[in-house]
PDB file of all heavy atoms in Angstrom:
ATOM      1  N   THR T 356     196.959  54.325  61.554  1.00  0.00           N
ATOM      2  CA  THR T 356     198.288  54.716  61.985  1.00  0.00           C
ATOM      3  C   THR T 356     198.435  56.276  62.120  1.00  0.00           C
ATOM      4  O   THR T 356     198.061  57.014  61.248  1.00  0.00           O
ATOM      5  CB  THR T 356     199.369  54.343  60.927  1.00  0.00           C
ATOM      6  OG1 THR T 356     199.217  52.847  60.733  1.00  0.00           O
ATOM      7  CG2 THR T 356     200.764  54.647  61.439  1.00  0.00           C
ATOM      8  N   VAL T 357     198.815  56.664  63.318  1.00  0.00           N
ATOM      9  CA  VAL T 357     199.062  58.078  63.547  1.00  0.00           C
ATOM     10  C   VAL T 357     200.589  58.331  63.642  1.00  0.00           C
ATOM     11  O   VAL T 357     201.281  57.659  64.461  1.00  0.00           O
ATOM     12  CB  VAL T 357     198.416  58.551  64.911  1.00  0.00           C
ATOM     13  CG1 VAL T 357     198.733  59.962  65.281  1.00  0.00           C
ATOM     14  CG2 VAL T 357     196.900  58.329  64.866  1.00  0.00           C
ATOM     15  N   ASN T 358     201.028  59.221  62.814  1.00  0.00           N
ATOM     16  CA  ASN T 358     202.432  59.596  62.817  1.00  0.00           C
ATOM     17  C   ASN T 358     202.694  60.934  63.348  1.00  0.00           C
ATOM     18  O   ASN T 358     202.142  61.941  62.738  1.00  0.00           O
ATOM     19  CB  ASN T 358     202.998  59.450  61.334  1.00  0.00           C
ATOM     20  CG  ASN T 358     204.481  59.531  61.250  1.00  0.00           C
ATOM     21  OD1 ASN T 358     205.112  60.349  61.890  1.00  0.00           O
ATOM     22  ND2 ASN T 358     205.056  58.657  60.490  1.00  0.00           N
ATOM     23  N   LEU T 359     203.305  61.023  64.463  1.00  0.00           N
ATOM     24  CA  LEU T 359     203.439  62.352  65.212  1.00  0.00           C
ATOM     25  C   LEU T 359     204.969  62.767  65.216  1.00  0.00           C
ATOM     26  O   LEU T 359     205.807  61.975  65.644  1.00  0.00           O
ATOM     27  CB  LEU T 359     202.871  62.281  66.564  1.00  0.00           C
ATOM     28  CG  LEU T 359     201.461  62.277  66.744  1.00  0.00           C
ATOM     29  CD1 LEU T 359     201.143  62.085  68.298  1.00  0.00           C
ATOM     30  CD2 LEU T 359     200.806  63.643  66.397  1.00  0.00           C
ATOM     31  N   PRO T 360     205.289  64.027  64.744  1.00  0.00           N
ATOM     32  CA  PRO T 360     206.660  64.408  64.954  1.00  0.00           C
ATOM     33  C   PRO T 360     206.929  64.721  66.351  1.00  0.00           C
ATOM     34  O   PRO T 360     206.102  65.241  67.164  1.00  0.00           O
ATOM     35  CB  PRO T 360     206.579  65.713  64.147  1.00  0.00           C
ATOM     36  CG  PRO T 360     205.243  66.153  64.065  1.00  0.00           C
ATOM     37  CD  PRO T 360     204.442  64.970  64.096  1.00  0.00           C
ATOM     38  N   ILE T 361     208.089  64.326  66.939  1.00  0.00           N
ATOM     39  CA  ILE T 361     208.412  64.431  68.352  1.00  0.00           C
ATOM     40  C   ILE T 361     209.862  65.045  68.445  1.00  0.00           C
ATOM     41  O   ILE T 361     210.689  64.883  67.485  1.00  0.00           O
ATOM     42  CB  ILE T 361     208.272  63.221  69.190  1.00  0.00           C
ATOM     43  CG1 ILE T 361     209.039  61.973  68.424  1.00  0.00           C
ATOM     44  CG2 ILE T 361     206.762  62.827  69.274  1.00  0.00           C
ATOM     45  CD1 ILE T 361     210.317  61.717  69.054  1.00  0.00           C
ATOM     46  N   ASN T 362     210.124  65.503  69.605  1.00  0.00           N
ATOM     47  CA  ASN T 362     211.469  66.108  69.837  1.00  0.00           C
ATOM     48  C   ASN T 362     212.240  64.925  70.688  1.00  0.00           C
ATOM     49  O   ASN T 362     211.768  64.556  71.744  1.00  0.00           O
ATOM     50  CB  ASN T 362     211.378  67.309  70.698  1.00  0.00           C
ATOM     51  CG  ASN T 362     212.686  68.001  70.822  1.00  0.00           C
ATOM     52  OD1 ASN T 362     213.748  67.395  70.785  1.00  0.00           O
ATOM     53  ND2 ASN T 362     212.742  69.372  71.044  1.00  0.00           N
ATOM     54  N   LYS T 363     213.326  64.578  70.201  1.00  0.00           N
ATOM     55  CA  LYS T 363     214.120  63.505  70.889  1.00  0.00           C
ATOM     56  C   LYS T 363     214.546  63.872  72.284  1.00  0.00           C
ATOM     57  O   LYS T 363     214.552  63.016  73.151  1.00  0.00           O
ATOM     58  CB  LYS T 363     215.435  63.163  70.089  1.00  0.00           C
ATOM     59  CG  LYS T 363     215.246  62.327  68.881  1.00  0.00           C
ATOM     60  CD  LYS T 363     214.833  60.925  69.325  1.00  0.00           C
ATOM     61  CE  LYS T 363     214.707  59.965  68.137  1.00  0.00           C
ATOM     62  NZ  LYS T 363     216.038  59.686  67.500  1.00  0.00           N
ATOM     63  N   SER T 364     214.647  65.220  72.599  1.00  0.00           N
ATOM     64  CA  SER T 364     215.051  65.662  73.931  1.00  0.00           C
ATOM     65  C   SER T 364     213.936  65.350  74.901  1.00  0.00           C
ATOM     66  O   SER T 364     214.172  65.066  76.143  1.00  0.00           O
ATOM     67  CB  SER T 364     215.343  67.182  73.913  1.00  0.00           C
ATOM     68  OG  SER T 364     214.143  67.875  73.562  1.00  0.00           O
TER      69      SER T 364
END
Side-chain angles (χ1 to χ4, degrees):
T356 303
V357 175
N358 192 312
L359 284 173
I361 51 100
N362 190 332
K363 281 293 186 68
S364 63

